[in-house]
Amino acid sequence: MKRKMILKKLNKIKEEHLIHLTPKKSKKGRSYKGTFEVSSHLELMCLITNLLKVCILALEENECVDNEQILQPNYNVNEVLRHILQLIPFQEQEFIDQVVGLLENLNAPLEENTSNI
């Protein structure tokens, strides 16, 4: 009985606090899917752009930062770039393209009627 109560409390704490990593099982084994909280698609694109700019700056010769401050800068930039690729909302962009296509098809008869006036 005590075990069930502890397990219930632990699961509740897990649900309340472990919200950014979701466990996933794949052919490669166990991994986690991470989330980023943003207020809009525009904010996500700004985040991606800013991360890219930081990577560009990090790869340039920068006298302000030495190798003792950031060990293996190329490796670190490479890891950030991998995460940026995962942040790019490809599915959402496909959705937007499909919606725009549908809107163009729906608006085509309206545009034809107004051009004849």
Side-chain angles (χ1 to χ4, degrees):
M1 186 69 167
K2 191 173 186 178
R3 184 179 188 273
K4 285 184 181 181
M5 189 172 75
I6 292 171
L7 189 59
K8 186 177 178 180
K9 285 183 180 181
L10 286 172
N11 282 321
K12 183 178 179 188
I13 292 169
K14 177 184 171 187
E15 287 177 18
E16 290 173 356
H17 298 285
L18 299 179
I19 56 174
H20 293 290
L21 292 177
T22 306
K24 268 179 71 174
K25 286 187 179 179
S26 67
K27 294 177 183 176
K28 296 179 181 179
R30 187 179 180 123
S31 63
Y32 291 89
K33 182 177 181 178
T35 61
F36 290 89
E37 189 171 324
V38 292
S39 62
S40 66
H41 286 86
L42 179 60
E43 184 181 351
L44 176 61
M45 297 310 289
C46 290
L47 172 64
I48 293 169
T49 303
N50 290 336
L51 288 169
L52 287 169
K53 290 175 185 177
V54 169
C55 289
I56 291 167
L57 287 172
L59 289 173
E60 291 178 348
E61 293 295 324
N62 192 342
E63 296 174 7
C64 298
V65 178
D66 60 11
N67 286 342
E68 290 179 13
Q69 290 175 311
I70 301 176
L71 300 175
Q72 301 174 329
N74 289 338
Y75 171 79
N76 290 312
V77 170
N78 188 17
E79 288 299 303
V80 170
L81 290 171
R82 286 178 199 256
H83 290 293
I84 291 170
L85 282 175
Q86 294 175 6
L87 285 173
I88 298 172
F90 288 111
Q91 290 87 0
E92 286 85 348
Q93 299 305 317
E94 290 175 16
F95 168 77
I96 291 169
D97 285 343
Q98 291 175 7
V99 169
V100 167
L102 289 171
L103 285 171
E104 288 173 354
N105 288 337
L106 289 171
N107 288 328
L110 294 174
E111 290 172 1
E112 289 174 6
N113 290 336
T114 56
S115 63
N116 293 334
I117 296 178

